[in-house]
Amino acid sequence: MASLNSHERSVIRHRAEASPALELQLGIATMLDVPAHKVLQDDLAEHASPWEQALAVESLGDSLPHEAGLYMFVWRPSINLVMADNSQSSFHQVLYIGQAGGSGQRGNTLRNRYRDYKKHLRGNPEHLWTEEPPTTRAGRLTYYLALRPLEFWFATVEDRSKIKNLEARLINLYNPPLNNQNRPKLRARLSTIPQPALRDS
């Protein structure tokens, strides 16, 4: 049997305990805005290269392009569902979306930007069970980028003036839980499910 990594050991060690949770919120209006999805897809096709994906490991940075672009940290469970046509499908969850080389980041590239995340990828998965979630951006990245398997998706964008807008629209669509800026405005709804009245037996 192959040796277990720290992430696998943490999951096994805490299997009998309540699981840590990452709060995910999806905006219903954004999900239903199909025309906006189509325009964003068209704009990405026009201004960005096709997306590429790789495992988010510390050594990945050296193989990333020295170009501006967009990126995502994506969690995908290690299970594929076999469909009726014998194809396989799996869902994914976008945890964080960012940009490299857009406004305010003129000299930055995808390779340089990824190197900034190496320290976050070294997070101790044991902290998911033993420590409260941090409130700072850096703390949350270190805390949650310990999730595995984690992928890094990226696309290059030649026209740097388009990057900020594309990033904001992707964040508005996916509402990644580790982003703070550009997230959609959502409102909670109180439950309207009637509650049974207490009755004497």
Side-chain angles (χ1 to χ4, degrees):
M1 180 178 175
S3 60
L4 300 173
N5 62 40
S6 61
H7 305 88
E8 293 166 330
R9 288 181 181 278
S10 292
V11 171
I12 293 170
R13 191 175 293 124
H14 297 282
R15 272 182 180 159
E17 302 174 22
S19 176
L22 179 58
E23 185 177 350
L24 307 173
Q25 294 183 320
L26 298 176
I28 294 173
T30 306
M31 292 169 65
L32 297 177
D33 195 351
V34 175
H37 302 170
K38 177 68 168 70
V39 173
L40 176 56
Q41 182 171 302
D42 291 346
D43 288 349
L44 285 167
E46 180 180 353
H47 300 294
S49 68
W51 289 84
E52 298 182 55
Q53 61 191 54
L55 282 178
V57 295
E58 287 189 49
S59 59
L60 174 62
D62 294 336
S63 63
L64 294 175
H66 267 309
E67 297 178 56
L70 300 160
Y71 61 88
M72 305 179 183
F73 282 97
V74 177
W75 178 79
R76 190 203 303 256
S78 56
I79 182 171
N80 286 312
L81 304 179
V82 178
M83 310 306 284
D85 62 359
N86 289 325
S87 65
Q88 295 189 356
S89 181
S90 67
F91 72 90
H92 61 267
Q93 177 61 51
V94 179
L95 299 182
Y96 185 81
I97 296 174
Q99 59 158 300
S103 59
Q105 300 183 3
R106 277 304 187 192
N108 215 342
T109 66
L110 288 165
R111 181 180 296 193
N112 292 339
R113 195 73 189 93
Y114 188 84
R115 288 173 177 164
D116 293 339
Y117 289 96
K118 288 175 70 171
K119 60 183 178 291
H120 301 300
L121 295 172
R122 299 178 187 135
N124 184 350
E126 195 72 15
H127 292 171
L128 293 166
W129 281 268
T130 61
E131 296 184 7
E132 290 297 313
T135 56
T136 66
R137 174 185 175 276
R140 285 171 57 79
L141 287 172
T142 300
Y143 191 81
Y144 288 113
L145 292 189
L147 293 169
R148 296 292 184 274
L150 193 64
E151 297 177 354
F152 186 75
W153 294 16
F154 63 94
T156 60
V157 179
E158 186 173 347
D159 186 347
R160 291 172 180 259
S161 69
K162 305 293 184 184
I163 293 176
K164 183 176 181 179
N165 176 268
L166 292 171
E167 178 202 32
R169 290 158 65 195
L170 284 168
I171 291 172
N172 187 65
L173 172 62
Y174 287 106
N175 196 21
L178 302 187
N179 281 85
N180 291 328
Q181 297 180 339
N182 299 321
R183 294 182 69 180
K185 294 179 180 178
L186 305 178
R187 61 180 175 86
R189 295 188 63 179
L190 297 176
S191 174
T192 56
I193 300 173
Q195 302 298 317
L198 294 174
R199 291 181 294 183
D200 293 330
S201 53

